[in-house]
Amino acid sequence: MRIVDLRSDTVTEPTPSMRQAMAEAKVGDDVFGEDPTVNRLEEMAAERLGKEAALFVASGTMGNLVSQLAHCNRGDEMILGDHSHVFHDEQGGTASIAGVHPRTLPNLPDGKIALEDIEAAIRPDDVHFPVTRLIMLENTHNHCNGNPLDVEYMQAVKKLADRHEIKIHVDGARVFNAAVALAVDVSELAAQTDSVSFCLSKGLAAPVGSVVCGTKDFIARARRARKVLGGGMRQAGVLAAAGIVALTEMTKRLAQDHANARRLAEGLAEIDGLTIDPNDIKTNMVFFEITHKDIPAVELEKRLYLKGVKVLATGIRRLRAVTHYHITPQDIEHVLMVFNKALSD
Ligand code: TLP
């Protein structure tokens, strides 16, 4: 049976050139700072994002957590969206590990947080209150249709944050998708932040890893935090080698994933029993609702699975399909045919 896996771009497997680079990677002990391939990846990432320094970490979750630890003291408050990955999907590490108090504000449908909400949530200097230390944004915003946050919005948040001497971290797991969708250089988005983490192992298809970028001082603190979390890796150059290929070769092809996602959304919009506005789909995430009254999302997920199409039910009526490196335009047409069959069974 033909299998098309649209559950996530995390299912991507390393490309042939990644496997070759991994086999040939020069390595050393990275905890001693002696892995030349890790060092090279970190230099390249910092340069690409326009930051002073960078740190290779095991995952997006670790990247966000070391950033919180490096920016905040215990008991500090962090402002973040109520649909953010950090709040929803990272096991509450903000509270349990970083000791940071999460102040959630409503995410608008496009993944932004209203500027006036941020302004109103910033704590005045009062003995009763925690100190507002950090604003956490997400770009692209996974749960908000994978929407990219534009440079103008980022500039406005930065201005506000600077006025209050608060730092900004961006969970940029898919920040390269954002840059492609907005037709800007990724450094323009990063320029409006104090730190950004991005994932090598999602749309960029590397097997493992994320990179955190920021000032030298911030990265030195993040490096200490990574070590205490058990993330000090040794001959990690075999992994970083794939990351270098991800950064140099794979960012260029993301527009294809976005075009496939758009076509999928347009096709789904024509199917009775499904609701989606294709204009909401700007990157590689396709969220849609099942309105067919007798078929909840988990039932549709199961029916599709039995026909070889994997998607994720993310709510009672909500589902997600994500396009990536292994998905072709022909796969999308096949998937649409399977959806039609699954709904008419
Ligand atoms: N997202 C995964 C799942 O955890 C839901 C996915 O399939 O989308 N930030 C964002 C915006 C993410 O989407 C993810 C992963 C992470 C951080 C965490 O990355 P990892 O899985 O590497 O810890």
Side-chain angles (χ1 to χ4, degrees):
M1 186 166 55
R2 178 172 176 181
I3 307 289
V4 184
D5 194 344
L6 296 167
R7 286 172 303 169
S8 181
D9 46 10
T10 58
V11 303
T12 46
E13 294 181 9
T15 66
S17 56
M18 285 180 189
R19 288 182 186 271
Q20 192 182 342
M22 292 170 81
E24 292 168 3
K26 295 212 172 13
V27 296
D29 189 328
D30 183 48
V31 175
F32 287 117
E34 289 173 4
D35 188 302
T37 313
V38 172
N39 292 343
R40 178 86 194 105
L41 171 66
E42 291 176 347
E43 279 161 24
M44 286 174 68
E47 194 186 321
R48 190 78 179 268
L49 273 86
K51 296 291 187 199
E52 280 176 17
L55 180 72
F56 183 47
V57 292
S59 65
T61 303
M62 185 181 274
N64 289 330
L65 191 52
V66 299
S67 301
Q68 291 168 65
L69 284 161
H71 280 305
C72 302
N73 302 310
R74 290 185 75 76
D76 283 346
E77 190 165 70
M78 171 175 76
I79 290 173
L80 77 174
D82 59 351
H83 294 308
S84 62
H85 195 276
V86 170
F87 184 64
H88 258 285
D89 300 306
E90 299 184 8
Q91 240 191 67
T94 296
S96 66
I97 298 178
V100 170
H101 192 237
R103 177 83 180 267
T104 51
L105 298 177
N107 271 125
L108 301 171
D110 61 4
K112 294 174 183 164
I113 306 172
L115 295 174
E116 46 290 10
D117 286 355
I118 298 178
E119 184 95 51
I122 294 171
R123 306 278 192 166
D125 183 11
D126 183 307
V127 73
H128 296 89
F129 298 152
V131 175
T132 309
R133 188 78 63 189
L134 185 63
I135 299 170
M136 168 80 64
L137 298 174
E138 186 175 318
N139 201 5
T140 64
H141 199 294
N142 187 339
H143 289 292
C144 295
N145 288 318
N147 199 64
L149 306 185
D150 55 81
V151 176
E152 293 69 31
Y153 174 73
M154 296 300 303
Q155 279 169 337
V157 180
K158 181 79 175 107
K159 215 168 142 195
L160 190 164
D162 283 349
R163 196 153 30 84
H164 292 277
E165 296 183 16
I166 296 171
K167 303 289 183 194
I168 301 179
H169 175 75
V170 168
D171 172 0
R174 299 181 182 82
V175 75
F176 286 99
N177 294 79
V180 167
L182 298 165
V184 298
D185 193 89
V186 71
S187 61
E188 287 184 58
L189 293 168
Q192 310 308 324
T193 71
D194 295 285
S195 58
V196 188
S197 49
F198 70 88
C199 292
L200 299 162
S201 64
K202 301 203 165 48
L204 305 185
V208 178
S210 293
V211 184
V212 184
C213 303
T215 63
K216 279 189 186 147
D217 282 354
F218 166 81
I219 290 298
R221 292 195 302 277
R223 194 176 288 281
R224 280 186 63 81
R226 181 186 71 171
K227 188 73 176 75
V228 76
L229 295 176
M233 296 182 282
R234 301 295 176 174
Q235 287 70 33
V238 285
L239 302 174
I244 290 174
V245 177
L247 210 49
T248 48
E249 292 179 9
M250 302 300 283
T251 55
K252 296 174 198 148
R253 56 157 305 286
L254 294 173
Q256 181 61 56
D257 296 344
H258 299 178
N260 289 342
R262 178 72 190 206
R263 167 68 196 126
L264 177 61
E266 285 165 359
L268 293 177
E270 285 170 12
I271 297 176
D272 270 353
L274 299 180
T275 305
I276 178 170
D277 181 351
N279 293 322
D280 289 342
I281 308 308
K282 305 275 188 339
T283 63
N284 67 332
M285 299 263 167
V286 182
F287 282 91
F288 54 98
E289 305 263 328
I290 174 134
T291 44
H292 194 302
K293 69 174 174 29
D294 301 324
I295 311 179
V298 280
E299 169 65 18
L300 179 59
E301 181 192 78
K302 192 169 134 209
R303 287 190 193 184
L304 292 166
Y305 183 85
L306 294 173
K307 294 182 191 310
V309 170
K310 299 184 186 179
V311 299
L312 275 186
T314 61
I316 295 171
R317 303 237 141 246
R318 202 165 189 237
L319 296 104
R320 185 185 81 166
V322 185
T323 57
H324 52 76
Y325 172 58
H326 301 299
I327 303 297
T328 64
Q330 294 73 31
D331 287 329
I332 299 296
E333 299 311 318
H334 171 74
V335 164
L336 290 170
M337 196 250 315
V338 172
F339 262 89
N340 272 304
K341 277 198 188 150
L343 282 164
S344 57
D345 274 356

